[in-house]
Structure formats: structure tokens, C-alpha cells
Amino acid sequence: MQHSSLTRTWLVLLCITAITYWVGEGGLAGQAPIVPVLLIFALALVKGVLVCLDFLELRQAPAMWRWIVLGWLIAVLSLIVLAYAVSLR
């Protein structure tokens, strides 16, 4: 992967981190707590996919490895969101 592409990915990761911080610290959870939590986990998924594809260089890896790692990421985040949703009841 080219240096400029990694730099671009890194900048996107920084922006997503800033948005996550803003959502988490902005007091948005007071109205409907599930909405900001889902937004934060969606942003975490995007960050995880970018890290896996670009920094772990899975974009050029065989599809099987890419889907195993991305499937694991989706499964873990889904279970965390499910546990959070169950804890709200």
C-alpha cells in the first residue's frame, strides 16, 4: 500500500476518533441512550474494518482471511451491542 493511502486512512481514523469522543462526551446519551451507543459501535466497526484492511494489509490477502477477521470483528461488536441492549431492560 502506498504511503499516501495509509496517511489518508490514518486521517480518517483520527476524524472518526474525534467524532466518537464528541458523541460520548457531548451528553447525547441523556435522551435515548441506545442511539449514541449504536453510533459509537458503528464508528468502531468502521475503524476496525479500516485497520484490518489497510494496516493489517488484508485488502490484498485471500478473501478467506479477510472474511474470517472481519466476521470476528462483526461478531464481537454484535455481541457487545446485544449485551448492552439486554442490560437496558
Side-chain angles (χ1 to χ4, degrees):
M1 177 170 270
Q2 290 183 345
H3 178 68
S4 64
S5 180
L6 285 177
T7 302
R8 194 173 322 118
T9 300
W10 177 70
L11 290 172
V12 170
L13 290 171
L14 284 177
C15 290
I16 293 172
T17 300
I19 293 168
T20 303
Y21 175 80
W22 176 74
V23 170
E25 294 294 323
L28 299 175
Q31 304 301 324
I34 193 74
V35 174
V37 169
L38 290 178
L39 178 60
I40 288 171
F41 277 109
L43 291 171
L45 176 64
V46 171
K47 286 174 67 173
V49 168
L50 287 173
V51 168
C52 289
L53 293 180
D54 293 334
F55 288 101
L56 297 179
E57 296 185 3
L58 287 177
R59 197 175 296 276
Q60 286 81 27
M64 178 190 72
W65 292 111
R66 194 169 40 247
W67 287 112
I68 287 173
V69 173
L70 294 176
W72 171 83
L73 177 65
I74 291 168
V76 168
L77 286 175
S78 298
L79 289 173
I80 293 170
V81 169
L82 178 65
Y84 178 75
V86 167
S87 75
L88 291 177
R89 295 177 186 228

